[in-house]
Amino acid sequence: MRNVLIVDDDTIVRITLRSLINWEEMGYQIAADAIHGQQALEYIKDHPVDLVITDMKMPVMDGIGLLEELNRLKTIPAVLVLSGYDDFKLVRDAFRLGACDYLLKTGLTEETLAAMLKRLDEEVFHDHGNETGGEKNPVVKIPDSVLLVDMAMGRRSLEETFFQQEYLVMQFEIEDFHKASARFGEDFEEELIKPMLELAGQIPRVASRCILGAVAPSRYCLLYRITDPEQYRENAVSACKQLCNVWKHFMNLSVSAGISNPGNGTKDFLNRFEEAGEQLRLKYLKGKGKICDPWEKDAVSFQQVRQAGQDYEKLIKGLMIGDEFTVWSEKKGFFSELYKMELKAAKEACLHLICSIAWQLSDNHDDISALFAEEVNYYEKIGRLDEMRSLELWLNNYFRWIMDYNAHHADRKQADMMIRAKRFIMDNYANPELTLGSVASFIGLNEKYFSTRFTKEEGLTFSNYLTEVRIRKARELMETTDLKIYEISQSVGYNSVEHFTRVFKKLCKVSPGGYRK
């Protein structure tokens, strides 16, 4: 059984990874998790770890820092990197530092994780070389689609032959991937990726001038070679729309796209790849299954949205956690700024803020489209407002919708955490070291807050709940086995049989021996 360490400061990601698959069936077990690289490193120094699954962006020590430190150890575990939308530069650095592979958080499903573990099992943990000394394996030509993605992600050097003329880079993403992927079984390579690429290859202009590869089952990269300098913009957007329509018609997949500015040679490729991803992130303002390009009139820019996220960080954070006072205070300043602008500039500022909010919702594993029953094109919605007062009223309502949505989902998520906490207790009650702190740490809540919420929801304290679980299990063992009392005591988490006897008698009004008789 291989030991796995999960490293991520996002509680939901850690819990998701733990529960996404049956680890033991695949020959793995979760040894522990950590909220940053330093905590992970301290654990690895004292415990055997075969596989580290780590996020890139974390406080204290990030994923790159962890990889650098791991390379200084005598025994280095295999490392699987978790990547977000804008982490591709970090993923390339991770490969240079010895990471085995990566998983996109947006495409993290039971199937993608299981497939990755199988690949690691075959390529990293087992040597499939020819041990008999026979003939060498034949050299297999690597498809251009694979080479393109490997170059984009930093797994191989850039090859000049790919970039001998001007080009654009496009990134495509399947919308609602977690729902859509359920239709494609467990073998994404055969059931999803291969059909996506084959359908694209049946479009003549794609087949003749483009290379398309899968960055992940949910994300695709296309190199579009420019052969029409006068009309490349219109033709590229048209090709992009045709691809999305083909995938929608034949595979019932809604796909959004981002297109870069032109690039020339190897020196531009990685920047154009990043730019295509940035354009894709602006899709939230247009709706699902849309195309974002850098030439669209009056479209916002990635840099403007990112700056808005920094400028209005307190307002956005207040909206996410339902902090009425902070929102009230911060929006006064925001509206004060808007009234100093021309109406057009004020509308643009609102779009920047809305897109930045959408990014935060996405990071929180939510979707801005869930705010309303119908899909909203924010360019059109904001564009129809013809005066500052109307803009202010709409934004006030919008802020309220976001706060109400987050409050509802926060309650749901906290309830889910209590369920996970109780499952963790049921899985670990036999461990004498199980404490309130260890359970709170597992679900990522402050110990005091967890204690208060647990007592409120369960009607009894954590300590009393754990005691009841242990004693109930002890009674089951007495009724169904011939184990001795001291063996039962140890089986339900008590090191001292005397202490177990006192607790049992207090709850059951009879000694363990008397209960068994």
Side-chain angles (χ1 to χ4, degrees):
M1 199 71 70
R2 297 188 180 91
N3 291 322
V4 180
L5 175 65
I6 298 171
V7 192
D8 199 305
D9 62 323
D10 188 324
T11 302
I12 295 175
V13 172
R14 295 199 308 274
I15 292 175
T16 299
L17 283 169
R18 277 182 172 271
S19 59
L20 203 56
I21 61 172
N22 187 323
W23 289 89
E24 292 189 359
E25 281 187 1
M26 303 202 66
Y28 295 81
Q29 62 183 4
I30 304 297
D33 53 31
I35 60 174
H36 53 68
Q38 185 61 47
Q39 190 179 71
L41 192 64
E42 290 170 1
Y43 181 88
I44 291 169
K45 288 178 179 178
D46 296 327
H47 303 85
V49 172
D50 302 292
L51 174 63
V52 175
I53 303 178
T54 182
D55 190 19
M56 287 283 88
K57 296 178 179 178
M58 298 176 289
V60 185
M61 180 188 288
D62 62 13
I64 296 300
L66 175 59
L67 276 161
E68 290 173 342
E69 291 298 322
L70 290 178
N71 280 321
R72 297 187 175 97
L73 302 179
K74 291 183 178 179
T75 303
I76 304 174
V79 178
L80 179 60
V81 167
L82 290 173
S83 163
Y85 277 114
D86 52 354
D87 294 346
F88 291 130
K89 288 181 181 177
L90 295 174
V91 172
R92 288 194 285 270
D93 290 338
F95 276 123
R96 284 194 285 271
L97 290 168
C100 299
D101 218 323
Y102 66 95
L103 279 169
L104 278 181
K105 286 185 179 182
T106 52
L108 189 58
T109 66
E110 177 183 355
E111 291 77 16
T112 56
L113 180 57
M116 180 62 70
L117 292 177
K118 287 179 182 177
R119 188 153 68 245
L120 289 175
D121 205 37
E122 295 169 358
E123 298 176 3
V124 177
F125 293 116
H126 290 294
D127 181 7
H128 287 277
N130 191 335
E131 297 177 2
T132 61
E135 294 182 3
K136 294 182 179 179
N137 293 328
V139 176
V140 179
K141 185 180 185 303
I142 301 174
D144 285 348
S145 59
V146 175
L147 290 174
L148 176 67
V149 171
D150 282 354
M151 289 188 288
M153 300 308 294
R155 280 190 288 216
R156 68 178 68 243
S157 301
L158 301 180
E159 297 184 13
E160 292 285 351
T161 54
F162 271 70
F163 312 103
Q164 291 182 342
Q165 65 190 84
E166 270 200 307
Y167 56 84
L168 303 172
V169 178
M170 303 176 189
Q171 285 200 40
F172 299 87
E173 183 166 57
I174 298 173
E175 300 283 6
D176 299 321
F177 180 72
H178 287 78
K179 294 178 183 177
S181 64
R183 296 187 283 114
F184 296 96
E186 297 181 4
D187 191 348
F188 279 162
E189 186 65 40
E190 286 295 319
E191 302 297 328
L192 175 60
I193 295 174
K194 189 175 179 181
M196 290 276 285
L197 302 184
E198 287 179 345
L199 281 171
Q202 293 174 24
I203 301 173
R205 57 179 166 177
V206 173
S208 63
R209 72 178 67 172
C210 302
I211 300 172
L212 178 69
V215 176
S218 61
R219 181 74 72 103
Y220 297 80
C221 173
L222 182 140
L223 184 73
Y224 178 97
R225 296 188 174 105
I226 296 174
T227 58
D228 39 18
E230 299 299 322
Q231 287 189 303
Y232 75 87
R233 294 181 178 182
E234 297 85 348
N235 291 342
V237 172
S238 174
C240 201
K241 287 180 178 177
Q242 190 175 4
L243 267 170
C244 293
N245 287 337
V246 164
W247 288 327
K248 180 67 176 176
H249 180 73
F250 289 100
M251 299 184 71
N252 194 26
L253 292 172
S254 178
V255 180
S256 293
I259 306 176
S260 77
N261 278 297
N264 202 331
T266 57
K267 60 180 173 46
D268 289 342
F269 174 63
L270 294 180
N271 287 334
R272 297 291 79 82
F273 175 72
E274 300 285 346
E275 184 185 11
E278 291 171 356
Q279 284 294 321
L280 183 55
R281 290 209 73 188
L282 301 176
K283 66 179 182 176
Y284 298 105
L285 293 176
K286 301 178 79 172
K288 294 181 178 179
K290 300 298 190 296
I291 296 167
C292 300
D293 63 72
W295 322 295
E296 188 173 351
K297 186 180 177 182
D298 297 328
V300 303
S301 76
F302 178 86
Q303 288 72 23
Q304 289 171 324
V305 175
R306 183 165 58 185
Q307 186 61 49
Q310 297 170 3
D311 293 342
Y312 307 119
E313 182 180 2
K314 288 184 179 179
L315 173 58
I316 295 170
K317 185 177 180 181
L319 291 168
M320 293 301 121
I321 64 175
D323 185 342
E324 298 263 3
F325 181 78
T326 296
V327 171
W328 178 80
S329 175
E330 292 297 319
K331 76 178 182 180
K332 282 177 62 180
F334 177 65
F335 287 135
S336 177
E337 290 180 25
L338 290 189
Y339 273 98
K340 296 175 184 177
M341 304 176 186
E342 295 291 333
L343 182 59
K344 182 179 179 181
K347 289 181 177 181
E348 288 177 354
C350 291
L351 290 169
H352 300 157
L353 178 60
I354 290 168
C355 194
S356 190
I357 289 169
W359 291 358
Q360 187 61 60
L361 284 167
S362 177
D363 290 345
N364 292 348
H365 316 283
D366 279 316
D367 186 351
I368 194 171
S369 65
L371 288 173
F372 305 102
E374 296 181 357
E375 193 170 283
V376 177
N377 183 317
Y378 288 95
Y379 285 111
E380 296 176 358
K381 175 71 74 175
I382 299 296
R384 288 195 294 265
L385 302 174
D386 56 4
E387 60 179 8
M388 290 295 295
R389 180 59 181 160
S390 299
L391 188 60
E392 180 183 4
L393 287 172
W394 187 88
L395 274 174
N396 267 315
N397 287 330
Y398 185 71
F399 292 157
R400 172 49 57 192
W401 293 325
I402 291 173
M403 292 180 71
D404 288 347
Y405 174 83
N406 281 324
H408 171 73
H409 282 256
D411 288 342
R412 185 201 68 199
K413 287 176 182 177
Q414 294 291 1
D416 289 346
M417 285 185 176
M418 292 303 114
I419 292 172
R420 292 181 184 279
K422 288 189 285 185
R423 287 176 181 167
F424 186 74
I425 292 169
M426 294 305 295
D427 289 342
N428 295 276
Y429 68 87
N431 181 1
E433 305 301 319
L434 183 66
T435 64
L436 172 69
S438 61
V439 180
S441 176
F442 170 72
I443 63 171
L445 292 180
N446 170 275
E447 186 172 329
K448 184 176 180 181
Y449 174 78
F450 169 66
S451 176
T452 302
R453 189 172 182 98
F454 190 93
T455 302
K456 180 179 178 182
E457 293 200 6
E458 298 303 319
L460 68 167
T461 65
F462 168 82
S463 177
N464 288 340
Y465 181 88
L466 178 58
T467 298
E468 288 203 0
V469 168
R470 284 171 166 168
I471 297 305
R472 185 167 67 247
K473 290 294 180 180
R475 288 165 61 182
E476 289 178 10
L477 290 173
M478 290 177 193
E479 293 166 5
T480 59
T481 74
D482 294 326
L483 291 173
K484 295 180 171 59
I485 297 300
Y486 78 86
E487 292 174 324
I488 292 174
S489 170
Q490 293 174 349
S491 298
V492 297
Y494 290 96
N495 287 328
S496 166
V497 68
E498 290 81 8
H499 179 53
F500 166 71
T501 300
R502 286 195 300 271
V503 173
F504 190 98
K505 191 170 184 178
K506 183 177 180 180
L507 259 66
C508 301
K509 310 303 180 187
V510 63
S511 68
Y515 182 86
R516 169 162 273 174
K517 290 178 182 179

